[in-house]
Structure formats: structure tokens, C-alpha cells
Amino acid sequence: PTDGPVRVVTDGLPAGSEWRVTDAMGRVLKSGRTDGAQLDFDLRGSAPGPYCLMISGPDGTRSAWFHLY
């Protein structure tokens, strides 16, 4: 759970992997490309609820749900 700031360790993913955060309806709120060993983004101001982080790398897409309070 978080109240806005999120940090994800991306060891093992090459720099330049695409990522996006969607709400429960599938709307993209944040997106970008990885640039190192971690990914930081902030959802302050977004509605409380479930969100999904998806990172696409050479081995496919990985996803993880998290909850914003």
C-alpha cells in the first residue's frame, strides 16, 4: 500500500524497458521507460483504489497490483 510515492527495484531488466501504471478500468495514468536499477513514480492526487504496474521487457510483460490509500 502507498499514499502516493512508489519505488520498484528493477534489477535484471534492461534500461529502456517500457512501464505503465493503470487504474482498475485500464486507463494509463503514468508511463515511461526504465533507466536504471529502480523505478520511481508518484500517484499523489489520484483516487484511492487498486492500480496495476506493468513492465515490458525482452522476456515479456510483468505486472503487479498495488493499492493507493
Side-chain angles (χ1 to χ4, degrees), residues 12-52:
L13 285 176
S17 297
E18 292 184 43
W19 65 271
R20 65 188 176 278
V21 175
T22 63
D23 64 13
M25 300 298 290
R27 295 177 290 228
V28 177
L29 300 172
K30 302 272 184 178
S31 64
R33 293 191 176 271
T34 59
D35 61 3
Q38 68 188 29
L39 166 62
D40 294 296
F41 57 90
D42 197 334
L43 293 177
R44 278 183 263 212
S46 298
Y51 291 85
C52 185

mmCIF file of all heavy atoms in Angstrom, residues 12-52:
data_model
loop_
_atom_site.group_PDB
_atom_site.id
_atom_site.type_symbol
_atom_site.label_atom_id
_atom_site.label_comp_id
_atom_site.label_asym_id
_atom_site.label_seq_id
_atom_site.Cartn_x
_atom_site.Cartn_y
_atom_site.Cartn_z
ATOM 1 N N GLY A 12 17.764 -6.641 -13.199
ATOM 2 C CA GLY A 12 17.517 -7.719 -14.146
ATOM 3 C C GLY A 12 16.772 -7.273 -15.388
ATOM 4 O O GLY A 12 16.713 -8.007 -16.366
ATOM 5 N N LEU A 13 16.171 -6.105 -15.350
ATOM 6 C CA LEU A 13 15.521 -5.574 -16.545
ATOM 7 C C LEU A 13 16.465 -4.612 -17.243
ATOM 8 O O LEU A 13 17.093 -3.786 -16.590
ATOM 9 C CB LEU A 13 14.238 -4.817 -16.183
ATOM 10 C CG LEU A 13 13.037 -5.648 -15.804
ATOM 11 C CD1 LEU A 13 11.894 -4.733 -15.374
ATOM 12 C CD2 LEU A 13 12.585 -6.493 -16.980
ATOM 13 N N PRO A 14 16.563 -4.691 -18.551
ATOM 14 C CA PRO A 14 17.446 -3.758 -19.250
ATOM 15 C C PRO A 14 16.882 -2.342 -19.220
ATOM 16 O O PRO A 14 15.658 -2.152 -19.207
ATOM 17 C CB PRO A 14 17.493 -4.311 -20.671
ATOM 18 C CG PRO A 14 16.265 -5.130 -20.820
ATOM 19 C CD PRO A 14 15.927 -5.643 -19.454
ATOM 20 N N ALA A 15 17.769 -1.365 -19.187
ATOM 21 C CA ALA A 15 17.335 0.026 -19.292
ATOM 22 C C ALA A 15 16.561 0.180 -20.589
ATOM 23 O O ALA A 15 16.872 -0.456 -21.590
ATOM 24 C CB ALA A 15 18.546 0.951 -19.272
ATOM 25 N N GLY A 16 15.524 0.984 -20.551
ATOM 26 C CA GLY A 16 14.700 1.195 -21.727
ATOM 27 C C GLY A 16 13.462 0.323 -21.780
ATOM 28 O O GLY A 16 12.660 0.444 -22.712
ATOM 29 N N SER A 17 13.271 -0.554 -20.781
ATOM 30 C CA SER A 17 12.048 -1.355 -20.739
ATOM 31 C C SER A 17 10.860 -0.422 -20.508
ATOM 32 O O SER A 17 10.929 0.507 -19.714
ATOM 33 C CB SER A 17 12.112 -2.390 -19.612
ATOM 34 O OG SER A 17 13.151 -3.309 -19.836
ATOM 35 N N GLU A 18 9.768 -0.676 -21.208
ATOM 36 C CA GLU A 18 8.584 0.173 -21.074
ATOM 37 C C GLU A 18 7.799 -0.192 -19.821
ATOM 38 O O GLU A 18 7.670 -1.363 -19.484
ATOM 39 C CB GLU A 18 7.678 0.008 -22.288
ATOM 40 C CG GLU A 18 8.271 0.549 -23.562
ATOM 41 C CD GLU A 18 7.293 0.455 -24.718
ATOM 42 O OE1 GLU A 18 6.105 0.762 -24.533
ATOM 43 O OE2 GLU A 18 7.747 0.064 -25.801
ATOM 44 N N TRP A 19 7.259 0.828 -19.149
ATOM 45 C CA TRP A 19 6.393 0.595 -17.993
ATOM 46 C C TRP A 19 5.181 1.506 -18.083
ATOM 47 O O TRP A 19 5.193 2.520 -18.752
ATOM 48 C CB TRP A 19 7.139 0.815 -16.677
ATOM 49 C CG TRP A 19 7.596 2.232 -16.447
ATOM 50 C CD1 TRP A 19 8.795 2.770 -16.839
ATOM 51 C CD2 TRP A 19 6.880 3.273 -15.796
ATOM 52 N NE1 TRP A 19 8.866 4.090 -16.472
ATOM 53 C CE2 TRP A 19 7.698 4.433 -15.825
ATOM 54 C CE3 TRP A 19 5.638 3.359 -15.195
ATOM 55 C CZ2 TRP A 19 7.297 5.638 -15.270
ATOM 56 C CZ3 TRP A 19 5.241 4.571 -14.641
ATOM 57 C CH2 TRP A 19 6.066 5.680 -14.672
ATOM 58 N N ARG A 20 4.111 1.076 -17.416
ATOM 59 C CA ARG A 20 2.904 1.902 -17.324
ATOM 60 C C ARG A 20 2.129 1.529 -16.070
ATOM 61 O O ARG A 20 2.195 0.385 -15.605
ATOM 62 C CB ARG A 20 2.049 1.778 -18.571
ATOM 63 C CG ARG A 20 1.456 0.429 -18.816
ATOM 64 C CD ARG A 20 0.789 0.356 -20.196
ATOM 65 N NE ARG A 20 0.302 -0.963 -20.493
ATOM 66 C CZ ARG A 20 1.020 -1.978 -20.955
ATOM 67 N NH1 ARG A 20 2.312 -1.816 -21.159
ATOM 68 N NH2 ARG A 20 0.492 -3.142 -21.188
ATOM 69 N N VAL A 21 1.428 2.500 -15.538
ATOM 70 C CA VAL A 21 0.547 2.303 -14.393
ATOM 71 C C VAL A 21 -0.870 2.572 -14.866
ATOM 72 O O VAL A 21 -1.141 3.620 -15.472
ATOM 73 C CB VAL A 21 0.904 3.249 -13.231
ATOM 74 C CG1 VAL A 21 -0.099 3.108 -12.089
ATOM 75 C CG2 VAL A 21 2.309 2.970 -12.726
ATOM 76 N N THR A 22 -1.758 1.621 -14.607
ATOM 77 C CA THR A 22 -3.160 1.787 -14.988
ATOM 78 C C THR A 22 -4.045 1.721 -13.755
ATOM 79 O O THR A 22 -3.675 1.131 -12.740
ATOM 80 C CB THR A 22 -3.612 0.690 -15.975
ATOM 81 O OG1 THR A 22 -3.524 -0.583 -15.336
ATOM 82 C CG2 THR A 22 -2.761 0.693 -17.231
ATOM 83 N N ASP A 23 -5.230 2.337 -13.869
ATOM 84 C CA ASP A 23 -6.215 2.193 -12.803
ATOM 85 C C ASP A 23 -6.997 0.906 -13.045
ATOM 86 O O ASP A 23 -6.719 0.167 -14.004
ATOM 87 C CB ASP A 23 -7.108 3.432 -12.709
ATOM 88 C CG ASP A 23 -7.958 3.668 -13.949
ATOM 89 O OD1 ASP A 23 -8.068 2.772 -14.817
ATOM 90 O OD2 ASP A 23 -8.536 4.771 -14.041
ATOM 91 N N ALA A 24 -7.984 0.639 -12.202
ATOM 92 C CA ALA A 24 -8.747 -0.611 -12.307
ATOM 93 C C ALA A 24 -9.549 -0.700 -13.600
ATOM 94 O O ALA A 24 -9.925 -1.795 -14.027
ATOM 95 C CB ALA A 24 -9.672 -0.750 -11.105
ATOM 96 N N MET A 25 -9.789 0.429 -14.273
ATOM 97 C CA MET A 25 -10.531 0.442 -15.536
ATOM 98 C C MET A 25 -9.602 0.315 -16.742
ATOM 99 O O MET A 25 -10.043 0.326 -17.878
ATOM 100 C CB MET A 25 -11.353 1.726 -15.649
ATOM 101 C CG MET A 25 -12.372 1.887 -14.539
ATOM 102 S SD MET A 25 -13.612 0.566 -14.520
ATOM 103 C CE MET A 25 -14.509 0.963 -15.986
ATOM 104 N N GLY A 26 -8.284 0.237 -16.499
ATOM 105 C CA GLY A 26 -7.326 0.084 -17.581
ATOM 106 C C GLY A 26 -6.810 1.389 -18.164
ATOM 107 O O GLY A 26 -6.060 1.381 -19.138
ATOM 108 N N ARG A 27 -7.200 2.517 -17.574
ATOM 109 C CA ARG A 27 -6.715 3.815 -18.055
ATOM 110 C C ARG A 27 -5.275 4.026 -17.610
ATOM 111 O O ARG A 27 -4.951 3.829 -16.438
ATOM 112 C CB ARG A 27 -7.595 4.945 -17.520
ATOM 113 C CG ARG A 27 -9.016 4.893 -18.051
ATOM 114 C CD ARG A 27 -9.848 5.979 -17.433
ATOM 115 N NE ARG A 27 -10.064 5.658 -16.033
ATOM 116 C CZ ARG A 27 -11.242 5.696 -15.421
ATOM 117 N NH1 ARG A 27 -12.311 6.091 -16.072
ATOM 118 N NH2 ARG A 27 -11.349 5.380 -14.157
ATOM 119 N N VAL A 28 -4.416 4.432 -18.534
ATOM 120 C CA VAL A 28 -3.000 4.664 -18.229
ATOM 121 C C VAL A 28 -2.846 6.012 -17.527
ATOM 122 O O VAL A 28 -3.272 7.042 -18.040
ATOM 123 C CB VAL A 28 -2.145 4.626 -19.513
ATOM 124 C CG1 VAL A 28 -0.691 4.952 -19.202
ATOM 125 C CG2 VAL A 28 -2.255 3.273 -20.192
ATOM 126 N N LEU A 29 -2.242 5.978 -16.323
ATOM 127 C CA LEU A 29 -2.022 7.202 -15.545
ATOM 128 C C LEU A 29 -0.591 7.700 -15.659
ATOM 129 O O LEU A 29 -0.346 8.895 -15.642
ATOM 130 C CB LEU A 29 -2.345 6.961 -14.069
ATOM 131 C CG LEU A 29 -3.770 6.532 -13.782
ATOM 132 C CD1 LEU A 29 -3.901 6.132 -12.338
ATOM 133 C CD2 LEU A 29 -4.722 7.655 -14.127
ATOM 134 N N LYS A 30 0.351 6.783 -15.719
ATOM 135 C CA LYS A 30 1.775 7.111 -15.830
ATOM 136 C C LYS A 30 2.403 6.102 -16.767
ATOM 137 O O LYS A 30 1.977 4.953 -16.828
ATOM 138 C CB LYS A 30 2.489 7.015 -14.471
ATOM 139 C CG LYS A 30 1.946 7.887 -13.376
ATOM 140 C CD LYS A 30 2.593 9.229 -13.410
ATOM 141 C CE LYS A 30 2.085 10.062 -12.234
ATOM 142 N NZ LYS A 30 2.697 11.346 -12.173
ATOM 143 N N SER A 31 3.446 6.521 -17.469
ATOM 144 C CA SER A 31 4.183 5.588 -18.315
ATOM 145 C C SER A 31 5.567 6.153 -18.582
ATOM 146 O O SER A 31 5.828 7.332 -18.356
ATOM 147 C CB SER A 31 3.443 5.346 -19.635
ATOM 148 O OG SER A 31 3.363 6.543 -20.384
ATOM 149 N N GLY A 32 6.439 5.287 -19.039
ATOM 150 C CA GLY A 32 7.791 5.711 -19.356
ATOM 151 C C GLY A 32 8.663 4.519 -19.670
ATOM 152 O O GLY A 32 8.170 3.446 -20.009
ATOM 153 N N ARG A 33 9.962 4.735 -19.524
ATOM 154 C CA ARG A 33 10.959 3.675 -19.745
ATOM 155 C C ARG A 33 11.882 3.621 -18.533
ATOM 156 O O ARG A 33 12.198 4.656 -17.953
ATOM 157 C CB ARG A 33 11.762 3.947 -21.006
ATOM 158 C CG ARG A 33 10.925 3.842 -22.256
ATOM 159 C CD ARG A 33 11.796 3.861 -23.499
ATOM 160 N NE ARG A 33 10.993 3.672 -24.684
ATOM 161 C CZ ARG A 33 10.699 2.492 -25.221
ATOM 162 N NH1 ARG A 33 11.164 1.394 -24.682
ATOM 163 N NH2 ARG A 33 9.962 2.406 -26.307
ATOM 164 N N THR A 34 12.306 2.407 -18.187
ATOM 165 C CA THR A 34 13.238 2.255 -17.079
ATOM 166 C C THR A 34 14.593 2.829 -17.475
ATOM 167 O O THR A 34 14.955 2.838 -18.651
ATOM 168 C CB THR A 34 13.402 0.777 -16.687
ATOM 169 O OG1 THR A 34 13.868 0.050 -17.813
ATOM 170 C CG2 THR A 34 12.093 0.184 -16.197
ATOM 171 N N ASP A 35 15.333 3.315 -16.484
ATOM 172 C CA ASP A 35 16.647 3.897 -16.793
ATOM 173 C C ASP A 35 17.725 3.478 -15.804
ATOM 174 O O ASP A 35 18.791 4.056 -15.788
ATOM 175 C CB ASP A 35 16.564 5.418 -16.869
ATOM 176 C CG ASP A 35 16.127 6.047 -15.558
ATOM 177 O OD1 ASP A 35 15.939 5.324 -14.563
ATOM 178 O OD2 ASP A 35 15.982 7.273 -15.535
ATOM 179 N N GLY A 36 17.455 2.485 -14.982
ATOM 180 C CA GLY A 36 18.457 2.056 -14.016
ATOM 181 C C GLY A 36 17.951 0.893 -13.199
ATOM 182 O O GLY A 36 17.119 0.116 -13.655
ATOM 183 N N ALA A 37 18.441 0.797 -11.968
ATOM 184 C CA ALA A 37 18.117 -0.335 -11.102
ATOM 185 C C ALA A 37 16.811 -0.145 -10.338
ATOM 186 O O ALA A 37 16.380 -1.043 -9.638
ATOM 187 C CB ALA A 37 19.253 -0.569 -10.116
ATOM 188 N N GLN A 38 16.172 1.032 -10.469
ATOM 189 C CA GLN A 38 14.905 1.247 -9.791
ATOM 190 C C GLN A 38 14.016 2.176 -10.607
ATOM 191 O O GLN A 38 14.478 2.909 -11.469
ATOM 192 C CB GLN A 38 15.114 1.814 -8.394
ATOM 193 C CG GLN A 38 15.667 3.225 -8.371
ATOM 194 C CD GLN A 38 16.040 3.652 -6.970
ATOM 195 O OE1 GLN A 38 16.398 2.824 -6.142
ATOM 196 N NE2 GLN A 38 15.955 4.928 -6.703
ATOM 197 N N LEU A 39 12.734 2.114 -10.300
ATOM 198 C CA LEU A 39 11.726 2.920 -10.971
ATOM 199 C C LEU A 39 10.975 3.674 -9.888
ATOM 200 O O LEU A 39 10.508 3.073 -8.923
ATOM 201 C CB LEU A 39 10.790 1.990 -11.746
ATOM 202 C CG LEU A 39 9.476 2.532 -12.260
ATOM 203 C CD1 LEU A 39 9.721 3.649 -13.261
ATOM 204 C CD2 LEU A 39 8.668 1.420 -12.896
ATOM 205 N N ASP A 40 10.874 4.979 -10.017
ATOM 206 C CA ASP A 40 10.143 5.807 -9.062
ATOM 207 C C ASP A 40 9.025 6.553 -9.785
ATOM 208 O O ASP A 40 9.244 7.087 -10.874
ATOM 209 C CB ASP A 40 11.071 6.849 -8.429
ATOM 210 C CG ASP A 40 12.145 6.215 -7.564
ATOM 211 O OD1 ASP A 40 11.786 5.590 -6.563
ATOM 212 O OD2 ASP A 40 13.332 6.351 -7.912
ATOM 213 N N PHE A 41 7.838 6.553 -9.181
ATOM 214 C CA PHE A 41 6.747 7.377 -9.694
ATOM 215 C C PHE A 41 5.858 7.773 -8.524
ATOM 216 O O PHE A 41 5.966 7.222 -7.436
ATOM 217 C CB PHE A 41 5.955 6.673 -10.800
ATOM 218 C CG PHE A 41 5.354 5.350 -10.416
ATOM 219 C CD1 PHE A 41 4.084 5.269 -9.878
ATOM 220 C CD2 PHE A 41 6.060 4.182 -10.616
ATOM 221 C CE1 PHE A 41 3.532 4.053 -9.538
ATOM 222 C CE2 PHE A 41 5.524 2.948 -10.285
ATOM 223 C CZ PHE A 41 4.251 2.893 -9.745
ATOM 224 N N ASP A 42 5.007 8.753 -8.734
ATOM 225 C CA ASP A 42 4.188 9.308 -7.661
ATOM 226 C C ASP A 42 2.753 9.421 -8.136
ATOM 227 O O ASP A 42 2.492 9.984 -9.198
ATOM 228 C CB ASP A 42 4.731 10.684 -7.271
ATOM 229 C CG ASP A 42 4.218 11.150 -5.930
ATOM 230 O OD1 ASP A 42 3.119 10.709 -5.513
ATOM 231 O OD2 ASP A 42 4.900 11.968 -5.301
ATOM 232 N N LEU A 43 1.836 8.879 -7.368
ATOM 233 C CA LEU A 43 0.421 8.935 -7.701
ATOM 234 C C LEU A 43 -0.353 9.857 -6.768
ATOM 235 O O LEU A 43 -1.582 9.773 -6.703
ATOM 236 C CB LEU A 43 -0.182 7.522 -7.661
ATOM 237 C CG LEU A 43 0.323 6.563 -8.727
ATOM 238 C CD1 LEU A 43 -0.282 5.177 -8.530
ATOM 239 C CD2 LEU A 43 0.018 7.076 -10.111
ATOM 240 N N ARG A 44 0.347 10.742 -6.052
ATOM 241 C CA ARG A 44 -0.377 11.691 -5.201
ATOM 242 C C ARG A 44 -1.381 12.456 -6.051
ATOM 243 O O ARG A 44 -1.085 12.847 -7.169
ATOM 244 C CB ARG A 44 0.582 12.672 -4.542
ATOM 245 C CG ARG A 44 1.231 12.083 -3.310
ATOM 246 C CD ARG A 44 2.105 13.105 -2.663
ATOM 247 N NE ARG A 44 3.463 12.844 -3.137
ATOM 248 C CZ ARG A 44 4.540 13.066 -2.425
ATOM 249 N NH1 ARG A 44 4.464 13.603 -1.249
ATOM 250 N NH2 ARG A 44 5.723 12.779 -2.913
ATOM 251 N N GLY A 45 -2.569 12.635 -5.507
ATOM 252 C CA GLY A 45 -3.634 13.318 -6.228
ATOM 253 C C GLY A 45 -4.545 12.363 -6.992
ATOM 254 O O GLY A 45 -5.586 12.777 -7.482
ATOM 255 N N SER A 46 -4.155 11.087 -7.091
ATOM 256 C CA SER A 46 -5.006 10.086 -7.745
ATOM 257 C C SER A 46 -6.000 9.543 -6.734
ATOM 258 O O SER A 46 -5.774 9.588 -5.522
ATOM 259 C CB SER A 46 -4.158 8.939 -8.302
ATOM 260 O OG SER A 46 -3.258 9.409 -9.276
ATOM 261 N N ALA A 47 -7.099 9.027 -7.227
ATOM 262 C CA ALA A 47 -8.143 8.480 -6.362
ATOM 263 C C ALA A 47 -7.645 7.220 -5.645
ATOM 264 O O ALA A 47 -6.888 6.437 -6.230
ATOM 265 C CB ALA A 47 -9.369 8.139 -7.191
ATOM 266 N N PRO A 48 -8.067 7.021 -4.392
ATOM 267 C CA PRO A 48 -7.729 5.776 -3.700
ATOM 268 C C PRO A 48 -8.298 4.579 -4.461
ATOM 269 O O PRO A 48 -9.340 4.676 -5.098
ATOM 270 C CB PRO A 48 -8.422 5.923 -2.342
ATOM 271 C CG PRO A 48 -8.617 7.388 -2.167
ATOM 272 C CD PRO A 48 -8.828 7.934 -3.548
ATOM 273 N N GLY A 49 -7.581 3.457 -4.403
ATOM 274 C CA GLY A 49 -8.061 2.240 -5.044
ATOM 275 C C GLY A 49 -6.928 1.406 -5.602
ATOM 276 O O GLY A 49 -5.757 1.710 -5.389
ATOM 277 N N PRO A 50 -7.282 0.349 -6.347
ATOM 278 C CA PRO A 50 -6.272 -0.548 -6.904
ATOM 279 C C PRO A 50 -5.676 0.014 -8.196
ATOM 280 O O PRO A 50 -6.371 0.636 -9.007
ATOM 281 C CB PRO A 50 -7.051 -1.832 -7.180
ATOM 282 C CG PRO A 50 -8.451 -1.368 -7.422
ATOM 283 C CD PRO A 50 -8.638 -0.142 -6.557
ATOM 284 N N TYR A 51 -4.383 -0.235 -8.376
ATOM 285 C CA TYR A 51 -3.653 0.174 -9.576
ATOM 286 C C TYR A 51 -2.749 -0.976 -9.989
ATOM 287 O O TYR A 51 -2.360 -1.800 -9.166
ATOM 288 C CB TYR A 51 -2.811 1.428 -9.310
ATOM 289 C CG TYR A 51 -3.661 2.644 -9.093
ATOM 290 C CD1 TYR A 51 -4.170 2.941 -7.837
ATOM 291 C CD2 TYR A 51 -3.984 3.477 -10.146
ATOM 292 C CE1 TYR A 51 -4.972 4.048 -7.638
ATOM 293 C CE2 TYR A 51 -4.781 4.596 -9.959
ATOM 294 C CZ TYR A 51 -5.282 4.866 -8.701
ATOM 295 O OH TYR A 51 -6.084 5.959 -8.515
ATOM 296 N N CYS A 52 -2.403 -1.006 -11.260
ATOM 297 C CA CYS A 52 -1.550 -2.066 -11.791
ATOM 298 C C CYS A 52 -0.313 -1.453 -12.440
ATOM 299 O O CYS A 52 -0.431 -0.533 -13.253
ATOM 300 C CB CYS A 52 -2.311 -2.897 -12.808
ATOM 301 S SG CYS A 52 -1.375 -4.318 -13.418
#
